[in-house]
Amino acid sequence: MTRMQQGATAVASLIVGMLTISACSSLTEPYNDAPIDHKVDSPAIVYSGPDGFANFMEKCDEFGNLVITTRTEGGEAAAVVPNEEGCAKFDKGAEAWKKAK
């Protein structure tokens, strides 16, 4: 093998290695989510739809809002019901959220 062939082989190996590493990194984060500041681990209610229909979830956030979300083949859908009465007990206010940071 000539020196030129060795150099080309080395460059090709480097490119393949870099592509492999970048492909594997995307496997660890399938949705490319943003970094997490803090988590709200309160329970959520999940409703199961019949076959062919998406399931959906509802959960109260830390501000007394009801968040409803689903994941379907066509993308994601989310709705927020502000100041929901049933979520008032979860409302910690903005000051509590700032302290959690």
Side-chain angles (χ1 to χ4, degrees):
M1 195 184 287
T2 67
R3 223 174 189 180
M4 187 72 128
Q5 289 173 328
Q6 288 176 340
T9 302
V11 170
S13 297
L14 181 64
I15 291 172
V16 169
M18 290 174 66
L19 290 173
T20 302
I21 290 171
S22 67
C24 290
S25 69
S26 67
L27 294 176
T28 60
E29 193 165 347
Y31 302 113
N32 294 322
D33 292 337
I36 296 173
D37 183 51
H38 74 284
K39 290 177 90 172
V40 179
D41 288 329
S42 61
I45 300 171
V46 178
Y47 297 91
S48 298
D51 287 345
F53 293 91
N55 298 338
F56 67 97
M57 178 279 304
E58 67 178 31
K59 179 176 181 170
C60 294
D61 68 7
E62 294 180 312
F63 302 102
N65 302 312
L66 178 64
V67 179
I68 304 167
T69 186
T70 187
R71 182 179 299 264
T72 63
E73 290 180 22
E76 295 181 35
V80 177
V81 180
N83 302 318
E84 173 65 25
E85 277 185 39
C87 294
K89 63 184 176 185
F90 295 102
D91 189 355
K92 297 179 183 176
E95 292 305 313
W97 183 77
K98 288 176 186 174
K99 288 179 186 176
K101 289 180 96 176

